[in-house]
Amino acid sequence: YGMKFPLDFVFIRDGKVTEVVENVPPNGADGQPSQIYSSDPADMVLEANAGFISKNKITIGSKVNYR
């Protein structure tokens, strides 16, 4: 809520990317915050500035390393 810029979403399960959603506007057509859901179960989601997915060449199946 209150975002003023578009975001990318990376859904992750068991250390692998399961879905990506790029360039989501801060508000939907009704002016309310956009709601994003994964079509597959995920145990994590990474929200990043729009363009992050393409800049980092993230695709479904990419391995995720984090600490």
Side-chain angles (χ1 to χ4, degrees):
Y1 182 78
M3 295 301 294
K4 305 237 188 273
F5 50 88
L7 296 172
D8 284 354
F9 293 83
V10 181
F11 292 92
I12 303 163
R13 184 179 64 234
D14 298 328
K16 289 187 180 177
V17 175
T18 60
E19 187 170 349
V20 295
V21 182
E22 297 182 72
N23 202 28
V24 176
N27 294 310
D30 59 1
Q32 295 298 310
S34 298
Q35 295 183 13
I36 305 302
Y37 301 95
S38 175
S39 58
D40 290 320
D43 52 28
M44 293 186 205
V45 61
L46 172 66
E47 299 177 20
N49 290 340
F52 178 84
I53 291 171
S54 61
K55 179 181 177 183
N56 291 284
K57 300 178 181 154
I58 296 171
T59 60
I60 293 173
S62 293
K63 291 182 183 180
V64 177
N65 294 313
Y66 57 90
R67 294 179 195 209

